[in-house]
Amino acid sequence: MSDDSVGDPAGPAETSATTRDFTVAVFVVDGDRFLLLWHRRLRKWLPPGGHIESDELPDDAAIREVREETGIRARLLSQPPAADLQTPRPLARPAGIQLEAIGPGHEHIDLIYFAVPERVGEVPRSNGEVDCVAWHTVEEAEALGAPSDVVSWARQALAAVASRG
């Protein structure tokens, strides 16, 4: 019987049944409210967000997901000034990163961003993926039964925008 790990300092290769995807979640704040949507498939209240495509930068994915799901053009709070081909190119810094179990053997690595709309008071619109999208206060989100982590991130996003004056 042969042991393929003999002489291999890393030992036998580990296999994992868990798959992971990188995703974004964007808390868009307008005054004392933030965007929430009712996700039809997941059946819960969430901020705009979704998967980062293989050829996409995370901050571009964040802006794209907000636009696709709500019709709102947003600006990330941590967006660095436009770069003129500088290398390395600075990217927007997520406000946080969390690992979320989605189902058996599948997780999302969520990059959490805070943003503001380019136009204050803009009315969001639903697309085919979401049934309802609207501005909500924290109290309204809690009354709707939004997940506790969503409410916690929303509080942080509201505080971050308020501190910018």
Side-chain angles (χ1 to χ4, degrees):
M1 181 176 195
S2 76
D3 181 354
D4 292 340
S5 67
V6 172
D8 181 359
E14 289 187 32
T15 58
S16 172
T18 300
T19 60
R20 294 185 179 101
D21 295 326
F22 282 93
T23 60
V24 294
V26 187
F27 288 84
V28 184
V29 173
D30 187 1
D32 65 345
R33 303 170 309 153
F34 66 101
L35 278 176
L36 263 188
L37 53 89
W38 176 255
H39 198 285
R40 179 182 300 149
R41 186 175 53 81
L42 299 176
R43 305 200 46 78
K44 60 180 157 177
W45 291 98
L46 298 171
H51 287 82
I52 301 170
E53 303 298 330
S54 62
D55 62 344
E56 191 172 40
L57 296 172
D59 36 358
D60 292 338
I63 297 298
R64 175 185 55 77
E65 287 289 350
V66 171
R67 179 82 170 143
E68 284 178 1
E69 293 182 344
T70 72
I72 302 283
R73 291 185 188 275
R75 182 177 43 81
L76 301 177
L77 288 192
S78 60
Q79 189 68 48
D84 355 307
L85 304 177
Q86 73 185 72
T87 306
R89 176 182 162 193
L91 298 177
R93 183 180 301 244
I97 303 172
Q98 67 186 18
L99 184 64
E100 183 176 5
I102 300 303
H106 187 64
E107 298 173 333
H108 282 174
I109 302 167
D110 293 328
L111 305 179
I112 312 296
Y113 292 94
F114 299 159
V116 293
E118 286 184 0
R119 292 186 2 230
V120 173
E122 191 169 356
V123 177
R125 60 171 169 71
S126 298
N127 70 7
E129 190 176 326
V130 300
D131 285 333
C132 176
V133 58
W135 297 104
H136 293 282
T137 64
V138 168
E139 294 76 21
E140 291 167 341
E142 290 173 323
L144 288 169
S148 61
D149 65 315
V150 169
V151 172
S152 175
W153 282 115
R155 287 183 196 283
Q156 292 176 59
L158 287 159
V161 170
S163 73
R164 294 171 50 103

